[in-house]
Amino acid sequence: MKRILAAVLACASLCPAYAEEKTEEKIDRIPKIHGVFRGRYEGEWPDYQQRFQVRNARVSLEGAVLPGLTYYFRADISDRGKMKFLDGYANWNFARGFAVRAGQFRVPFGVDAFRGPGSYIFANRAFLVKNMANVRQVGVQLGYTFPKFPLQLQAGVFNSKPIGDHEVWQDAMDFAAKATLRIGNVTVAPSFLTMKPYAARTNHADISVSWKWERWLLEGEYQYMHYCNDMYRDVNGWTAFASYTLPVNFGRFNEWNFHGRFDGMTDFSTGQPDADGHLKTDAPSRRRITVGTSLAFVQKPVRAEILLDYEKFFYNNGVTAPRGSGDKIVAELIVKF
Protein backbone atom coordinates (compact mmCIF):
# COMPACT_ATOMS: atom_id res chain seq x y z
CA MET A 1 0.00 0.00 0.00
CA LYS A 2 2.83 2.37 0.91
CA ARG A 3 4.51 1.68 -2.44
CA ILE A 4 1.29 2.48 -4.35
CA LEU A 5 0.83 5.75 -2.41
CA ALA A 6 4.42 6.79 -3.08
CA ALA A 7 4.00 6.14 -6.81
CA VAL A 8 0.80 8.22 -6.92
CA LEU A 9 2.48 11.13 -5.11
CA ALA A 10 5.49 10.99 -7.45
CA CYS A 11 3.20 11.09 -10.49
CA ALA A 12 1.25 14.00 -9.07
CA SER A 13 4.45 15.96 -8.48
CA LEU A 14 5.57 15.43 -12.07
CA CYS A 15 2.27 16.09 -13.86
CA PRO A 16 2.07 19.87 -13.21
CA ALA A 17 5.57 20.39 -14.55
CA TYR A 18 4.74 18.33 -17.62
CA ALA A 19 1.47 20.22 -18.15
CA GLU A 20 3.25 23.55 -17.78
CA GLU A 21 5.86 22.51 -20.33
CA LYS A 22 3.18 21.45 -22.80
CA THR A 23 1.26 24.74 -22.27
CA GLU A 24 4.37 26.78 -23.08
CA GLU A 25 4.80 24.90 -26.36
CA LYS A 26 1.13 25.12 -27.34
CA ILE A 27 0.60 27.40 -30.34
CA ASP A 28 -2.19 28.17 -32.77
CA ARG A 29 -0.91 27.16 -36.22
CA ILE A 30 -4.13 27.97 -38.10
CA PRO A 31 -3.29 30.63 -40.75
CA LYS A 32 -5.12 33.96 -40.58
CA ILE A 33 -6.37 35.72 -43.72
CA HIS A 34 -6.79 39.50 -43.97
CA GLY A 35 -7.80 41.77 -46.81
CA VAL A 36 -8.23 45.40 -47.89
CA PHE A 37 -10.37 46.79 -50.70
CA ARG A 38 -10.18 50.41 -51.92
CA GLY A 39 -12.58 51.48 -54.64
CA ARG A 40 -11.83 54.99 -55.90
CA TYR A 41 -13.27 57.87 -57.91
CA GLU A 42 -10.99 60.75 -59.00
CA GLY A 43 -11.75 64.01 -60.76
CA GLU A 44 -8.99 66.40 -61.83
CA TRP A 45 -8.89 70.03 -62.97
CA PRO A 46 -8.43 72.34 -64.93
CA ASP A 47 -9.99 70.49 -67.87
CA TYR A 48 -12.09 68.23 -65.67
CA GLN A 49 -11.35 64.58 -66.35
CA GLN A 50 -12.34 61.61 -64.20
CA ARG A 51 -11.85 57.90 -63.64
CA PHE A 52 -12.76 54.95 -61.43
CA GLN A 53 -10.14 52.57 -60.02
CA VAL A 54 -9.76 49.47 -57.94
CA ARG A 55 -6.89 51.14 -56.14
CA ASN A 56 -6.19 48.07 -54.01
CA ALA A 57 -7.61 44.58 -53.67
CA ARG A 58 -5.03 43.26 -51.23
CA VAL A 59 -4.89 39.94 -49.37
CA SER A 60 -2.48 38.68 -46.75
CA LEU A 61 -1.83 35.40 -44.99
CA GLU A 62 -0.01 35.05 -41.69
CA GLY A 63 0.60 32.38 -39.13
CA ALA A 64 2.97 30.84 -36.60
CA VAL A 65 5.15 27.76 -36.82
CA LEU A 66 6.80 27.84 -33.39
CA PRO A 67 6.61 30.25 -30.44
CA GLY A 68 8.23 33.41 -31.80
CA LEU A 69 8.56 32.07 -35.35
CA THR A 70 5.99 33.53 -37.77
CA TYR A 71 5.48 33.93 -41.52
CA TYR A 72 3.69 36.54 -43.61
CA PHE A 73 2.63 36.70 -47.28
CA ARG A 74 0.92 39.68 -48.95
CA ALA A 75 -0.11 40.50 -52.53
CA ASP A 76 -2.25 42.97 -54.42
CA ILE A 77 -4.70 41.03 -56.57
CA SER A 78 -5.38 44.40 -58.19
CA ASP A 79 -3.34 47.59 -57.87
CA ARG A 80 -5.00 49.84 -60.46
CA GLY A 81 -5.62 46.75 -62.55
CA LYS A 82 -2.22 45.09 -62.09
CA MET A 83 -1.23 42.17 -59.86
CA LYS A 84 1.74 42.68 -57.52
CA PHE A 85 3.49 40.40 -55.05
CA LEU A 86 4.43 42.58 -52.08
CA ASP A 87 5.72 40.67 -49.06
CA GLY A 88 6.91 37.19 -48.26
CA TYR A 89 9.04 36.68 -45.17
CA ALA A 90 9.68 34.74 -41.97
CA ASN A 91 10.27 36.49 -38.64
CA TRP A 92 11.95 34.76 -35.69
CA ASN A 93 12.15 36.20 -32.17
CA PHE A 94 15.04 33.90 -31.36
CA ALA A 95 16.13 35.50 -28.04
CA ARG A 96 14.76 38.03 -25.60
CA GLY A 97 14.40 41.31 -27.47
CA PHE A 98 16.07 40.02 -30.66
CA ALA A 99 14.30 39.26 -33.94
CA VAL A 100 15.60 38.32 -37.38
CA ARG A 101 13.54 38.69 -40.56
CA ALA A 102 14.40 37.26 -43.99
CA GLY A 103 12.58 37.52 -47.30
CA GLN A 104 10.90 40.33 -49.22
CA PHE A 105 9.50 43.21 -47.17
CA ARG A 106 9.60 46.97 -46.63
CA VAL A 107 13.07 48.16 -45.56
CA PRO A 108 13.32 49.84 -42.12
CA PHE A 109 13.18 53.44 -43.30
CA GLY A 110 10.62 56.19 -42.70
CA VAL A 111 7.32 56.20 -40.84
CA ASP A 112 4.49 57.25 -43.15
CA ALA A 113 5.69 54.59 -45.61
CA PHE A 114 4.66 51.85 -43.17
CA ARG A 115 0.98 52.79 -43.29
CA GLY A 116 -0.95 50.39 -45.50
CA PRO A 117 -4.15 50.86 -47.54
CA GLY A 118 -6.26 49.85 -44.55
CA SER A 119 -4.64 52.43 -42.25
CA TYR A 120 -4.15 55.41 -44.59
CA ILE A 121 -5.35 58.72 -43.19
CA PHE A 122 -5.35 60.36 -46.63
CA ALA A 123 -6.36 58.87 -49.97
CA ASN A 124 -2.95 59.61 -51.50
CA ARG A 125 0.45 59.15 -49.89
CA ALA A 126 2.83 62.01 -49.15
CA PHE A 127 5.40 62.83 -51.85
CA LEU A 128 8.33 61.63 -49.72
CA VAL A 129 6.67 58.19 -49.64
CA LYS A 130 5.30 58.01 -53.18
CA ASN A 131 8.38 59.39 -54.96
CA MET A 132 11.48 59.50 -52.77
CA ALA A 133 11.72 56.22 -50.82
CA ASN A 134 8.89 53.70 -50.82
CA VAL A 135 11.17 50.67 -50.83
CA ARG A 136 10.46 46.96 -50.60
CA GLN A 137 13.43 44.69 -51.15
CA VAL A 138 14.76 41.17 -50.65
CA GLY A 139 17.18 40.75 -47.78
CA VAL A 140 17.64 40.20 -44.07
CA GLN A 141 16.94 42.45 -41.09
CA LEU A 142 17.95 42.27 -37.43
CA GLY A 143 15.94 44.03 -34.75
CA TYR A 144 16.32 44.58 -31.01
CA THR A 145 13.69 45.91 -28.59
CA PHE A 146 15.00 47.01 -25.20
CA PRO A 147 13.14 45.20 -22.39
CA LYS A 148 12.98 48.13 -19.95
CA PHE A 149 13.38 51.12 -22.25
CA PRO A 150 10.93 52.25 -25.01
CA LEU A 151 13.47 51.95 -27.82
CA GLN A 152 13.52 49.67 -30.85
CA LEU A 153 16.45 49.32 -33.26
CA GLN A 154 16.33 47.78 -36.75
CA ALA A 155 18.99 47.36 -39.43
CA GLY A 156 19.15 45.36 -42.63
CA VAL A 157 21.01 44.59 -45.86
CA PHE A 158 19.12 44.07 -49.13
CA ASN A 159 19.46 43.47 -52.86
CA SER A 160 19.76 46.68 -54.86
CA LYS A 161 18.14 45.35 -58.05
CA PRO A 162 14.35 45.40 -58.62
CA ILE A 163 12.38 42.89 -56.53
CA GLY A 164 10.80 41.32 -59.61
CA ASP A 165 13.93 39.28 -60.33
CA HIS A 166 15.81 37.48 -57.53
CA GLU A 167 18.23 35.76 -59.92
CA VAL A 168 20.46 38.79 -60.53
CA TRP A 169 24.00 38.67 -59.10
CA GLN A 170 25.06 42.11 -57.90
CA ASP A 171 28.13 43.93 -56.68
CA ALA A 172 26.24 46.64 -54.77
CA MET A 173 23.78 46.20 -51.91
CA ASP A 174 21.29 48.44 -50.12
CA PHE A 175 21.51 49.19 -46.39
CA ALA A 176 18.92 50.63 -44.01
CA ALA A 177 18.71 51.36 -40.29
CA LYS A 178 15.99 52.82 -38.06
CA ALA A 179 15.46 53.69 -34.40
CA THR A 180 12.03 54.20 -32.81
CA LEU A 181 11.77 55.89 -29.40
CA ARG A 182 8.42 56.25 -27.64
CA ILE A 183 8.15 58.56 -24.63
CA GLY A 184 4.59 59.01 -23.40
CA ASN A 185 2.46 60.31 -26.27
CA VAL A 186 5.48 61.24 -28.42
CA THR A 187 7.28 58.99 -30.91
CA VAL A 188 10.58 59.96 -32.53
CA ALA A 189 11.97 57.86 -35.39
CA PRO A 190 15.22 58.71 -37.24
CA SER A 191 16.32 56.41 -40.09
CA PHE A 192 18.92 56.09 -42.83
CA LEU A 193 18.92 54.36 -46.22
CA THR A 194 21.54 53.98 -48.94
CA MET A 195 20.60 52.28 -52.21
CA LYS A 196 21.71 51.85 -55.80
CA PRO A 197 18.83 50.74 -58.03
CA TYR A 198 20.52 52.21 -61.14
CA ALA A 199 23.87 53.87 -61.92
CA ALA A 200 23.61 56.46 -59.16
CA ARG A 201 23.76 55.55 -55.47
CA THR A 202 21.48 57.68 -53.32
CA ASN A 203 21.68 58.31 -49.58
CA HIS A 204 18.53 59.15 -47.62
CA ALA A 205 18.11 60.52 -44.11
CA ASP A 206 14.68 60.74 -42.47
CA ILE A 207 13.30 62.02 -39.17
CA SER A 208 9.72 61.71 -37.96
CA VAL A 209 8.03 63.07 -34.82
CA SER A 210 4.45 62.21 -33.93
CA TRP A 211 2.17 63.08 -31.00
CA LYS A 212 -0.94 61.05 -30.24
CA TRP A 213 -3.35 62.14 -27.51
CA GLU A 214 -6.92 60.88 -27.14
CA ARG A 215 -8.63 61.80 -30.44
CA TRP A 216 -5.70 63.75 -31.92
CA LEU A 217 -2.77 62.63 -34.05
CA LEU A 218 -0.14 65.17 -35.16
CA GLU A 219 2.86 64.11 -37.20
CA GLY A 220 5.73 65.67 -39.10
CA GLU A 221 8.33 63.93 -41.26
CA TYR A 222 11.32 65.30 -43.19
CA GLN A 223 13.51 63.45 -45.68
CA TYR A 224 16.78 64.42 -47.32
CA MET A 225 18.11 62.65 -50.44
CA HIS A 226 21.66 62.95 -51.78
CA TYR A 227 22.95 61.62 -55.14
CA CYS A 228 26.54 60.40 -54.92
CA ASN A 229 29.16 61.97 -57.23
CA ASP A 230 26.86 65.02 -57.56
CA MET A 231 24.95 63.36 -60.39
CA TYR A 232 21.83 65.37 -59.46
CA ARG A 233 20.96 68.11 -57.01
CA ASP A 234 19.86 67.09 -53.52
CA VAL A 235 16.16 66.57 -52.82
CA ASN A 236 14.16 67.71 -49.80
CA GLY A 237 10.76 66.26 -48.93
CA TRP A 238 8.41 66.92 -46.05
CA THR A 239 4.94 66.23 -44.72
CA ALA A 240 3.01 67.56 -41.73
CA PHE A 241 -0.55 66.60 -40.87
CA ALA A 242 -3.21 66.67 -38.18
CA SER A 243 -6.02 64.16 -37.73
CA TYR A 244 -8.97 64.33 -35.33
CA THR A 245 -11.36 61.40 -34.80
CA LEU A 246 -14.78 61.97 -33.25
CA PRO A 247 -16.94 59.11 -31.90
CA VAL A 248 -20.43 59.30 -33.45
CA ASN A 249 -23.63 57.31 -33.77
CA PHE A 250 -24.81 57.88 -37.35
CA GLY A 251 -26.55 54.69 -38.33
CA ARG A 252 -23.77 52.18 -39.03
CA PHE A 253 -21.02 54.77 -38.58
CA ASN A 254 -19.23 55.13 -35.24
CA GLU A 255 -16.20 57.28 -36.20
CA TRP A 256 -15.98 60.65 -37.97
CA ASN A 257 -12.51 61.81 -38.94
CA PHE A 258 -11.26 65.24 -40.05
CA HIS A 259 -7.75 65.61 -41.46
CA GLY A 260 -5.46 68.15 -43.09
CA ARG A 261 -1.94 67.94 -44.51
CA PHE A 262 0.78 70.08 -46.07
CA ASP A 263 3.49 68.22 -47.97
CA GLY A 264 6.05 69.01 -50.61
CA MET A 265 9.16 67.96 -52.51
CA THR A 266 11.88 69.66 -54.55
CA ASP A 267 12.89 68.47 -58.06
CA PHE A 268 13.36 64.69 -58.03
CA SER A 269 15.08 62.06 -60.19
CA THR A 270 14.67 58.30 -59.87
CA GLY A 271 18.41 57.92 -60.49
CA GLN A 272 18.04 56.17 -63.85
CA PRO A 273 20.34 57.85 -66.41
CA ASP A 274 19.34 58.70 -69.97
CA ALA A 275 21.25 57.67 -73.10
CA ASP A 276 23.91 60.33 -72.39
CA GLY A 277 24.43 59.17 -68.82
CA HIS A 278 22.67 62.15 -67.25
CA LEU A 279 19.86 62.09 -64.69
CA LYS A 280 16.64 63.78 -65.69
CA THR A 281 13.92 65.32 -63.55
CA ASP A 282 11.17 62.72 -63.20
CA ALA A 283 8.97 64.77 -60.84
CA PRO A 284 9.11 68.59 -60.67
CA SER A 285 9.14 70.55 -57.42
CA ARG A 286 5.67 70.82 -55.91
CA ARG A 287 3.69 71.57 -52.77
CA ARG A 288 0.22 70.38 -51.83
CA ILE A 289 -2.52 71.11 -49.32
CA THR A 290 -4.96 68.27 -48.63
CA VAL A 291 -8.16 68.56 -46.59
CA GLY A 292 -10.70 65.82 -46.09
CA THR A 293 -13.06 63.84 -43.95
CA SER A 294 -14.23 60.26 -43.56
CA LEU A 295 -17.03 58.30 -41.92
CA ALA A 296 -16.24 54.81 -40.69
CA PHE A 297 -17.65 51.75 -38.98
CA VAL A 298 -14.94 50.23 -36.81
CA GLN A 299 -15.28 46.97 -34.95
CA LYS A 300 -11.98 45.10 -34.97
CA PRO A 301 -10.88 43.43 -37.14
CA VAL A 302 -13.38 45.09 -39.52
CA ARG A 303 -13.14 48.68 -40.76
CA ALA A 304 -15.53 50.07 -43.39
CA GLU A 305 -14.97 53.68 -44.42
CA ILE A 306 -16.13 56.35 -46.87
CA LEU A 307 -13.40 58.96 -47.47
CA LEU A 308 -13.44 62.28 -49.34
CA ASP A 309 -10.31 64.41 -49.97
CA TYR A 310 -9.58 67.60 -51.88
CA GLU A 311 -5.99 68.26 -53.03
CA LYS A 312 -4.64 71.67 -54.07
CA PHE A 313 -1.23 71.65 -55.86
CA PHE A 314 1.33 74.45 -56.14
CA TYR A 315 4.14 74.45 -58.74
CA ASN A 316 6.98 76.83 -59.56
CA ASN A 317 6.37 79.43 -62.27
CA GLY A 318 6.49 77.97 -65.76
CA VAL A 319 5.86 74.38 -64.66
CA THR A 320 2.82 72.59 -66.04
CA ALA A 321 1.25 70.02 -63.72
CA PRO A 322 1.71 66.47 -65.07
CA ARG A 323 -1.52 64.55 -65.68
CA GLY A 324 -2.52 62.95 -62.40
CA SER A 325 -0.72 65.59 -60.31
CA GLY A 326 -3.15 68.49 -60.56
CA ASP A 327 -5.91 69.82 -58.32
CA LYS A 328 -8.29 66.95 -57.67
CA ILE A 329 -11.05 65.42 -55.63
CA VAL A 330 -10.76 61.81 -54.45
CA ALA A 331 -13.56 59.64 -53.03
CA GLU A 332 -13.01 56.11 -51.75
CA LEU A 333 -14.90 53.18 -50.30
CA ILE A 334 -12.53 51.21 -48.07
CA VAL A 335 -13.17 47.80 -46.54
CA LYS A 336 -10.64 46.13 -44.24
CA PHE A 337 -11.04 42.77 -42.54
Side-chain angles (χ1 to χ4, degrees), residues 87-99:
D87 299 297
Y89 61 83
N91 196 85
W92 195 358
N93 297 306
F94 60 91
R96 186 182 180 188
F98 286 95

Side-chain angles (χ1 to χ4, degrees), residues 31-222:
K32 297 175 178 60
I33 299 175
H34 305 283
V36 179
F37 170 81
R38 294 170 67 207
R40 168 181 290 192
Y41 170 81
E42 286 183 300
E44 186 179 65
W45 290 274
D47 54 334
Y48 194 80
Q49 295 195 24
Q50 54 196 323
R51 64 186 180 187
F52 289 99
Q53 288 183 329
V54 175
R55 184 59 185 85
N56 295 100
R58 180 171 295 187
V59 294
S60 61
L61 177 72
E62 62 179 333
V65 178
L66 297 171
L69 179 58
T70 60
Y71 59 87
Y72 189 87
F73 309 133
R74 177 161 51 188
D76 263 323
I77 305 302
S78 176
D79 177 348
R80 292 163 289 187
K82 298 178 181 179
M83 183 178 290
K84 293 181 179 180
F85 175 69
L86 301 173
D87 299 297
Y89 61 83
N91 196 85
W92 195 358
N93 297 306
F94 60 91
R96 186 182 180 188
F98 286 95
V100 62
R101 177 177 296 184
Q104 178 174 305
F105 51 92
R106 190 179 298 281
V107 305
F109 179 79
V111 170
D112 198 37
F114 280 83
R115 292 188 171 96
S119 58
Y120 286 162
I121 298 170
F122 300 86
N124 287 312
R125 298 162 295 172
F127 296 133
L128 58 79
V129 177
K130 182 178 180 180
N131 296 104
M132 295 177 65
N134 181 19
V135 185
R136 278 184 168 88
Q137 269 299 3
V138 183
V140 63
Q141 168 186 301
L142 181 66
Y144 179 71
T145 302
F146 288 81
K148 296 183 179 181
F149 191 70
L151 176 64
Q152 181 186 49
L153 303 176
Q154 297 169 308
V157 56
F158 306 88
N159 288 348
S160 61
K161 301 306 179 184
I163 59 176
D165 186 358
H166 302 179
E167 293 283 352
V168 180
W169 293 96
Q170 41 209 292
D171 56 359
M173 304 295 279
D174 295 349
F175 303 90
K178 179 179 178 181
T180 304
L181 175 65
R182 296 180 176 88
I183 303 176
N185 297 322
V186 177
T187 301
V188 181
S191 52
F192 175 79
L193 167 67
T194 177
M195 61 181 185
K196 191 180 180 182
Y198 305 108
R201 177 170 288 278
T202 58
N203 297 325
H204 306 246
D206 184 281
I207 180 70
S208 171
V209 179
S210 63
W211 176 72
K212 186 173 179 60
W213 179 71
E214 294 184 353
R215 303 171 185 174
W216 284 97
L217 173 60
L218 277 68
E219 186 171 291
E221 186 170 358
Y222 167 76

